[in-house]
Amino acid sequence: MIYRHFIAPPRAFTQFSHDLIRHPRLSSDAVRLLTWQLSLPPGTRESLSRTAARARIGGCAFTRAKRQLKDEGFVHERRLQGPGGLWVTQQLVSNVPLSDAEALKLLAQMPVGPAGTTTTERAAPPPQLAPGRRSPAVGEPTPPSTDGYPPQDQEGNTSNQPPRPPVADTESPQPDGDGDAPSDPHLTAARALVDAFPALSPDLRHIPRAMRPELTKLTACWLAAGHPPTAVRTHILRGLPDDGSPVRRPGGLLRHLLRDVPPPPSAPADGTATAPPDRGDRCAQQPPGPRLSTRLAGTRECAGDHVQPLLFRPVGDETHCSRCG
């Protein structure tokens, strides 16, 4: 059994209807938010969100409680522009449900600006919104000049280089691949061969475009020395790592492989290579005899079946690598 003992408070109390406290569609947070607002002193401008924070009502619970109070007609709000052009939100809380028309009639009588002002009073705009005095301009207005851009030195680091005058000396090719002398028949074939290097191996897919003119120049030296394009491709494939290690700088690897031009395969057996055609100072003259890298000294090509030529370092006189053996 439940016994109730009630003592009426002598001061600071608010009368609420039993229908409000026992409302079947209002949660406990909604009832607490509404009763807290109705218990505030007259003239208090405390918002519903501030009341929810003081009543320890969380964000989600406050949103749900406010929606319930608006659906039942206990809370109404509207947004309008107040004095000075600032937008404000009016909230009306009542102890009985009100319709939209009744709430709008009450909100029209409420002050919009600071305390003590009504909707009929128009407050002056803040000082920062008032325009300041403008100093008169000196002289007559002049239109902008239409003479184009000021003169600039285009010889610097710019992508819009001026056209170069033709050079009579064709011994030294231009550093740019598009400025190569058309009289050299090897440059066109070398350029096509360099463009096909990425198709030789996945390690050569990302050759820097800025290095292609230099690689074209080195490849042209190989072709001018008498090496066919097949020999150039075979030489590059032999220089790629076969142990699966990635090639991080494919352009630098190709420069290293193409820097030294060996004599052509048709050189005499006595070791004296036939002098290559005159190419000026573009290609360094190589001494007779094959020049192998120091890291390839003592290696031998495996006689087994490999996709690419494989070099290994034999212990004795074996002709197959450890994988084929």
Side-chain angles (χ1 to χ4, degrees):
M1 301 179 63
I2 298 178
Y3 300 93
R4 297 175 180 85
H5 177 69
F6 181 79
I7 300 177
R11 60 181 180 84
F13 65 92
T14 304
Q15 294 182 354
F16 296 105
S17 170
H18 291 173
D19 296 336
L20 188 151
I21 299 177
R22 304 172 186 173
H23 201 287
R25 290 181 298 275
L26 294 181
S27 62
S28 58
D29 292 329
V31 174
R32 179 174 173 81
L33 181 63
L34 180 59
T35 55
W36 191 303
Q37 271 283 331
L38 295 176
S39 66
L40 295 176
T44 304
R45 298 283 190 89
E46 183 174 296
S47 62
L48 291 174
S49 58
R50 173 58 181 167
T51 301
R54 294 176 57 189
R56 305 293 181 90
I57 300 176
C60 297
F62 165 68
T63 304
R64 183 168 53 252
K66 181 180 176 181
R67 184 175 63 251
Q68 293 176 359
L69 292 175
K70 293 179 66 176
D71 294 342
E72 298 300 328
F74 291 99
V75 172
H76 296 268
E77 62 180 2
R78 69 169 182 171
R79 186 170 177 81
L80 73 163
Q81 193 172 15
L86 301 179
W87 288 87
V88 295
T89 301
Q90 284 185 320
Q91 293 179 338
L92 176 62
V93 181
S94 60
N95 62 340
V96 294
L98 299 177
S99 62
D100 293 341
E102 295 173 342
L104 184 60
K105 185 181 299 183
L106 292 176
L107 287 174
Q109 304 173 4
M110 300 299 175
V112 179
T117 62
T118 61
T119 55
T120 58
E121 300 177 357
R122 188 68 176 178
Q128 64 270 19
L129 299 180
R133 299 188 59 182
R134 307 181 68 177
S135 301
V138 179
E140 296 294 332
T142 57
S145 59
T146 58
D147 295 338
Y149 295 99
Q152 297 180 357
D153 184 13
Q154 297 184 352
E155 293 292 340
N157 186 13
T158 174
S159 59
N160 187 14
Q161 293 287 344
R164 298 179 181 270
V167 182
D169 185 12
T170 59
E171 291 183 355
S172 300
Q174 301 292 340
D176 190 4
D178 297 336
D180 291 333
S183 59
D184 195 340
H186 302 289
L187 291 177
T188 304
R191 187 179 299 109
L193 190 58
V194 171
D195 293 340
F197 281 167
L200 295 178
S201 174
D203 295 331
L204 304 178
R205 290 178 180 175
H206 304 289
I207 301 176
R209 186 173 297 273
M211 294 188 63
R212 295 201 174 188
E214 180 183 0
L215 298 178
T216 301
K217 173 184 173 181
L218 296 176
T219 307
C221 295
W222 280 69
L223 299 180
H227 295 278
T230 306
V232 178
R233 290 192 290 264
T234 303
H235 176 73
I236 292 176
L237 291 176
R238 289 184 178 180
L240 296 178
D242 192 64
D243 55 353
S245 57
V247 178
R248 304 188 182 277
R249 295 178 177 85
L253 177 61
L254 291 176
R255 177 198 296 161
H256 172 73
L257 295 176
L258 299 174
R259 182 176 300 169
D260 298 335
V261 183
S266 58
D270 55 358
T272 59
T274 305
D278 186 12
R279 302 187 303 273
D281 56 349
R282 290 181 302 158
C283 307
Q285 299 295 333
Q286 303 296 332
R291 293 186 57 183
L292 296 178
S293 175
T294 55
R295 64 187 184 91
L296 299 180
T299 59
R300 180 181 301 173
E301 183 177 351
C302 178
D305 186 10
H306 295 275
V307 178
Q308 301 177 0
L310 175 64
L311 298 179
F312 73 99
R313 196 177 304 277
V315 180
D317 56 351
E318 60 270 15
T319 59
H320 291 76
C321 64
S322 57
R323 297 180 183 178
C324 299

